[in-house]
Amino acid sequence: LDSLKKFAEENLKPMCSPSNIDLCDDEKKAEIETFLNMPLDDLNAKIATEEKKIAEAETTFETELQKLQDAYQKLMTDKDETIAEVKASGLGLMKSCLAAKSKGGSDEL
C-alpha cells in the first residue's frame, strides 16, 4: 500500500488541461483557447478528422503486417519444401557414403 501511495504521489499529478489551464505553458494555453473558442461543429469535425487519421494508420499497419506475415509463411513453406526435396533426393545416403569412404580410405564400397 505504501508503494502504491508513493507511486501516486510521484506520478499522478494534475496535468495541463482546460480545467487546469494554470499548469500549461503559453503554447498549450493558446492551443486550448483556440479549441475552446471554436464552434462545436468545427471542433467535432476536427476531432473526427484526427481520429480518421489514426484509424487509417491502424488499417495501414494491419494490412502491411498481414503482408509481412504472408511473405514469412511463404518463405517458411518454400524452405521446408526445399529441405524435404533435398533430403528425398538422397542427401542422407550421400552423407552415409561419404562417411563410409572417409573411414574406409577406399574409393570402392
Side-chain angles (χ1 to χ4, degrees):
L1 187 61
D2 289 337
S3 63
L4 179 61
K5 184 177 179 185
K6 181 180 177 186
F7 174 82
E9 289 172 355
E10 292 175 359
N11 297 296
L12 301 178
K13 299 175 183 175
M15 296 177 55
C16 168
S17 68
S19 58
N20 288 319
I21 201 159
D22 54 315
L23 300 175
C24 303
D25 60 25
D26 290 340
E27 186 179 324
K28 283 292 179 194
K29 284 180 183 177
E31 193 173 9
I32 289 170
E33 288 299 322
T34 299
F35 294 144
L36 288 175
N37 290 328
M38 271 186 182
L40 192 57
D41 289 343
D42 291 351
L43 186 57
N44 280 327
K46 189 162 186 65
I47 290 169
T49 298
E50 297 305 311
E51 287 178 340
K52 183 178 179 188
K53 288 178 188 177
I54 291 172
E56 288 170 352
E58 289 174 351
T59 299
T60 299
F61 172 79
E62 292 297 327
T63 300
E64 295 302 316
L65 179 61
Q66 187 60 51
K67 288 179 187 177
L68 286 172
Q69 288 173 333
D70 293 344
Y72 172 81
Q73 188 61 48
K74 181 177 181 342
L75 288 169
M76 286 294 294
T77 300
D78 291 349
K79 178 191 82 147
D80 292 344
E81 288 174 357
T82 300
I83 290 170
E85 288 171 11
V86 169
K87 287 181 178 180
S89 73
L91 177 63
L93 188 56
M94 286 184 243
K95 287 182 175 182
S96 296
C97 291
L98 177 63
K101 286 180 81 164
S102 297
K103 285 184 181 177
S106 169
D107 286 344
E108 295 182 22
L109 288 176

